[in-house]
């Protein structure tokens, strides 16, 4: 019998589990860590790869209207002039003239305060955490996007006369959160969030290139290449997975918002008059992707953007929000980008960015529907959703109910003892199963502890090899969620696990290869 402990998941618990079990570590930890950059450990890399693979399967492999792309991270600087990022991708910052740290002006008013290169510094002077949490909650209720990514929202808020006036009114009294100098702030200026670097040996303005802040632009600039080489007809899509970089000012909430992250983006090209239909289609399709991978329906919501919130390129946008421990926040955005991007790149490059419609004999600029998801945010949402604490047999059991296709290890092989003959049989089972899946072998400590360790990292099945196995060539499969155990022949272990991992409650008997349901067998 198990008893669920209510209110289980918190960000602290996830961070601790991730560190303890090797999912996610702080980047460059031995040097004190690099703020808002994260390293995926042995289990994290498997989970992350599985998330990406599930996405690629769903949006590329499983469809005949989509192709993939892997564009370079560094792109011609003109790309960012055309896309609008050079002008629009900014956050307002003020600089302390004494210590030269930069802050967001709304944060030095109400906190929490993040310095551009020092990370979280604490709460603004005179503001305690309770007051801050209250005002933050009020802001979130008023405008949930505030907890999300879009820097343009912060700008919109700052440009609200009240916030800006508040800052300018109080500027002479506000202490610097870093060096405590009073009244030393400059007026707010917009700073670009793109990371700059130099191409070639000389560090001069003419050689500046940017690390891409979104993967999407790699797709737009390759539109004609893909069209010419694949002879696609509308509607069709191009999907890309890859790193993106943003010099975010306020980072935090673990991997929710970092400076280096991965995106999974689709640019779906359609006839303009069909854009609304395809927009609705992709919102539903992407929402279902999360549900099919086990995210609880109660924890997902769709949030349309208001006019004032739309990005400069978007005609319409919905966020797919997840109910993270810190509140509802954006997991994925689906936008109707209209013809903005292709038209902009045509204008800036002087190249044709149209599609020839054979039916009408016309060249048209397709509209683009863009479902844009974060890999790291998806990983976080899957971890949050899967995390559970229960009392089982009088003990605390932490379990990740990860969907089998996402679980880092599908199976753990656990010999009951380290005795040589048993270890040999268990190693044979292990070697055989490894041909199909990521499988873990563990022969340390009691079997109960080993089950708990596998529960905590979300392994759906444990296979126990005991002394009886040497007699009858059978092993025990123990299920993570129900903790039920069944005995199966080694000869059909692979088929049984294949069926179970695919969600079928079956196991396979050797006689005639028949498949039997466990109940009513
Ligand atoms: N091409 C459109 C675009 O980039 P976005 O809303 O800025 O739109 C899309 O980003 C997704 O990328 C977000 O929904 C989020 O999942 C992820 N994302 C954006 N900024 C992020 C950051 N700093 N850290 C982690 N994930 C981020």
């Amino acid at each position: 019998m198990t008893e669920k402990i209510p209110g289980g998941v918190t960000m602290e618990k996830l961070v601790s589990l991730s560190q303890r079990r090797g999912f996610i570590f702080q980047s460059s930890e031995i040097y004190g860590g690099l703020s808002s950059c994260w390293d995926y450990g042995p289990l994290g890399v498997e989970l992350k790869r599985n998330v990406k693979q599930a996405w690629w399967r769903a949006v590329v492999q499983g469809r005949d209207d989509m192709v993939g792309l892997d564009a370079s991270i560094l792109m011609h600087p003109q790309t960012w002039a055309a896309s609008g990022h050079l002008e629009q991708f900014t956050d307002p910052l003020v600089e302390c003239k004494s210590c030269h740290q930069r802050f967001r002006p709304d944060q030095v008013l109400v906190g929490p305060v993040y310095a551009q290169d020092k990370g979280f510094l604490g709460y603004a002077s005179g503001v305690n955490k309770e007051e801050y949490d209250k005002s933050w909650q009020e802001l979130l209720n008023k405008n949930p996007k505030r907890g999300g990514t879009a820097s343009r929202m912060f700008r919109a808020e700052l440009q609200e006369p009240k916030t800006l006036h508040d800052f300018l009114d109080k500027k002479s009294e506000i202490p610097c959160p870093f060096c405590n100098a009073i009244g030393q702030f400059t007026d707010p200026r917009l700073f670009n969030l793109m990371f700059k670097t130099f191409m070639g040996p000389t560090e001069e303005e003419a050689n500046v290139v940017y690390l891409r802040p979104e993967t999407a632009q790699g797709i737009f600039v390759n539109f004609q290449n893909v069209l010419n080489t694949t002879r696609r007809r509308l509607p069709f899509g191009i999907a890309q997975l890859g790193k993106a970089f943003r010099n975010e000012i306020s980072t935090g909430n673990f991997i929710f918002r970092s400076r280096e992250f991965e995106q999974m983006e689709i640019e779906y090209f359609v006839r303009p008059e069909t854009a609304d239909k395809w927009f609705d289609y992709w919102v539903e399709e992407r929402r279902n992707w999360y549900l099919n991978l086990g995210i609880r329906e109660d924890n997902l919501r769709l949030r349309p953007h208001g006019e004032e919130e739309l990005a400069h390129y978007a005609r319409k946008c919905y966020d797919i929000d997840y109910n993270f421990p810190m509140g509802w926040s954006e997991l994925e955005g689906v936008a109707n980008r209209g013809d903005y991007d292709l038209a902009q790149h045509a204008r800036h490059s002087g190249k044709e960015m149209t599609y020839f419609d054979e039916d009408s004999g016309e060249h048209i600029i397709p509209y683009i529907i863009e479902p844009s998801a974060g890999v790291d945010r998806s990983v976080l949402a899957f971890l949050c959703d899967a995390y559970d604490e229960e009392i089982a047999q009088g003990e605390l059991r932490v379990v990740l109910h990860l969907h089998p296709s996402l679980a880092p290890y599908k199976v753990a092989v656990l010999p009951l003892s380290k005795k040589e003959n048993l270890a040999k049989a268990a190693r044979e089972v292990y070697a055989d199963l490894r041909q199909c899946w990521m499988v873990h072998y563990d022969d340390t400590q009691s079997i109960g502890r080993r089950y708990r360790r596998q529960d905590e990292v979300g392994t759906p099945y444990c296979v126990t090899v005991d002394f009886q196995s040497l007699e009858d060539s059978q092993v025990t499969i123990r299920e993570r969620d129900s903790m039920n155990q069944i005995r199966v022949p080694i000869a059909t272990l692979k088929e049984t696990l294949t069926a179970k991992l695919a969600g079928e409650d079956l196991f396979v008997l050797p006689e005639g290869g028949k498949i039997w349901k466990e109940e009513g067998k």
Side-chain angles (χ1 to χ4, degrees), residues 5 18 81 172 221 236 292 311 319 333 336 340 343 352 368 415 419 437 456 497:
I5 303 177
S18 298
S172 60
V221 300
F236 75 94
N292 292 339
D319 282 348
N336 174 355
Y340 177 85
E352 200 53 31
I368 294 172
K419 289 239 165 61
W437 306 288
E456 207 184 31
L497 286 169

Side-chain angles (χ1 to χ4, degrees), residues 85 89 145 149-152 213-217 220 244-246 248 250-251 255-265 267 290 305 313 317 319-320 330-333 335 337 370-378:
H85 281 83
F89 199 57
K145 184 74 190 180
T149 50
S151 56
R152 59 190 170 272
E214 60 172 12
T215 59
Q217 299 301 324
F220 304 138
F245 302 83
R246 297 182 186 179
E248 303 273 10
S250 51
T251 52
I255 52 173
F256 178 80
R257 187 174 311 125
S258 42
R259 294 194 169 110
E260 174 179 339
F261 55 97
E262 270 185 278
Q263 288 188 313
M264 310 185 274
E265 298 204 293
E267 307 301 331
Y290 294 103
H305 283 205
Y313 52 74
C317 186
D319 282 348
I320 301 176
E330 176 186 337
L331 180 58
E332 171 162 352
R337 296 181 75 124
E370 178 194 66
S372 171
V375 177
D376 312 78
R377 262 182 218 185
S378 301

Side-chain angles (χ1 to χ4, degrees), residues 272-309:
E273 66 279 11
T274 63
D276 283 341
K277 180 185 89 180
W278 285 111
F279 180 88
D280 294 345
Y281 167 86
W282 277 109
V283 169
E284 201 46 30
E285 194 71 6
R286 293 301 306 142
R287 182 174 169 273
N288 286 338
W289 184 76
Y290 294 103
L291 296 177
N292 292 339
L293 287 171
I295 295 276
R296 277 169 267 203
E297 199 160 4
D298 289 355
N299 282 337
L300 278 189
R301 73 171 188 195
L302 297 176
R303 200 182 66 79
H305 283 205
E307 268 298 301
E308 71 298 340
E309 196 185 342

Side-chain angles (χ1 to χ4, degrees), residues 499 504 506-509 512-517:
E504 296 167 43
L506 305 171
F507 75 100
V508 182
L509 288 179
K514 281 182 192 160
I515 296 174
W516 294 76
K517 274 203 165 156

Side-chain angles (χ1 to χ4, degrees), residues 1 16 68 89 100 116 302 386 407 464:
M1 278 295 289
S16 153
F89 199 57
H100 301 289
Q116 198 179 20
L302 297 176
T464 313

